[in-house]
Amino acid sequence: NAKTWTGNATRKIEGYARIVKALAQDSRFSYKIGTTELGRGQVHGVHCALLDNFNVDPEIDEPAAYARWILTISDRLAGIRDRLATLGPQDFQHVPFGDPRCEGAGAFVESKALPIYLCAWYWPNASARPATIIHEVAHLKGMSDVEYEDSEGWWLPPPNCLRWRRFSIEVNDTAKNPDSYALFCADAGK
């Protein structure tokens, strides 16, 4: 369920953001990422999901910039969570099969406004429905789709997440990309 995923993901990233903000004050920030709470347990899952979906990396990004990105992403995710909480059945409209607006999409919004139109492709894949709704709510919060290609290859970011780097776009674009939030919630919010 989209509300559960965003609620869980928001709680996790807010806790992560508090740790990152405290660590960013330390000149040995990137070293500490691998040796603190970020390297263990539930927070480690948030750390990996951020690397995978937003391309933020404490080994590459300057500590204060990394902390700012985490806080920005956390704030935007909280906005998506809050907007989701206000949605009711009247905010969704089913679109008939064959409608050209649904070309390859599970859902869409027009002009970043309600309703959320649910296409025929939305229904067969129940496990993707929450991410689809989160993506569309990100549009309602003013975000636009960002063109990107899936990256190729495995990478081993600290602290050993061994993840597929999903997007070949920069952090400033991933932080505005509805897919990033939808997939982050799918990774961190279950």
Side-chain angles (χ1 to χ4, degrees):
N1 155 328
K3 291 179 183 177
T4 301
W5 284 13
T6 56
N8 291 341
T10 302
R11 278 190 296 285
K12 289 177 184 177
I13 196 172
E14 285 170 348
Y16 182 88
R18 283 190 295 277
I19 293 168
V20 167
K21 191 173 180 183
L23 288 175
Q25 306 304 315
D26 190 321
S27 61
R28 298 178 345 152
F29 175 72
S30 61
Y31 169 76
K32 287 191 164 211
I33 290 294
T35 60
T36 64
E37 296 84 11
L38 301 184
R40 297 189 296 274
Q42 202 174 64
V43 177
H44 179 256
V46 174
H47 178 69
C48 290
L50 285 162
L51 285 162
D52 197 24
N53 296 300
F54 291 99
N55 292 345
V56 291
D57 188 343
E59 291 292 315
I60 296 170
D61 300 326
E62 185 265 324
Y66 182 78
R68 279 192 306 275
W69 279 121
I70 300 308
L71 293 172
T72 297
I73 293 164
S74 178
D75 289 347
R76 289 179 181 168
L77 184 59
I80 292 169
R81 176 205 57 206
D82 295 346
R83 185 67 177 105
L84 263 168
T86 68
L87 295 179
Q90 71 281 0
D91 296 317
F92 297 89
Q93 183 174 332
H94 302 276
V95 178
F97 184 77
D99 187 309
R101 298 175 298 169
C102 288
E103 185 76 28
F108 65 93
V109 296
E110 293 179 327
S111 302
K112 298 180 182 174
L114 290 172
I116 296 174
Y117 295 95
L118 303 177
C119 300
W121 295 108
Y122 175 79
W123 302 106
N125 189 354
S127 63
R129 288 182 203 155
T132 300
I133 298 302
I134 293 164
H135 176 104
E136 297 310 323
V137 171
H139 285 306
L140 297 176
K141 296 297 295 174
M143 295 181 209
S144 298
D145 290 318
V146 175
E147 293 291 326
Y148 62 89
E149 295 180 16
D150 287 342
S151 293
E152 295 182 14
W154 290 92
W155 67 320
L156 188 62
N160 304 323
C161 297
L162 192 58
R163 305 285 296 215
W164 179 261
R165 191 166 195 172
R166 188 167 280 143
F167 299 117
S168 61
I169 55 179
E170 297 301 315
V171 177
N172 61 339
D173 289 328
T174 61
K176 300 177 218 165
N177 183 14
D179 281 349
S180 298
Y181 292 90
L183 296 169
F184 175 78
C185 288
D187 288 348
K190 292 180 183 174

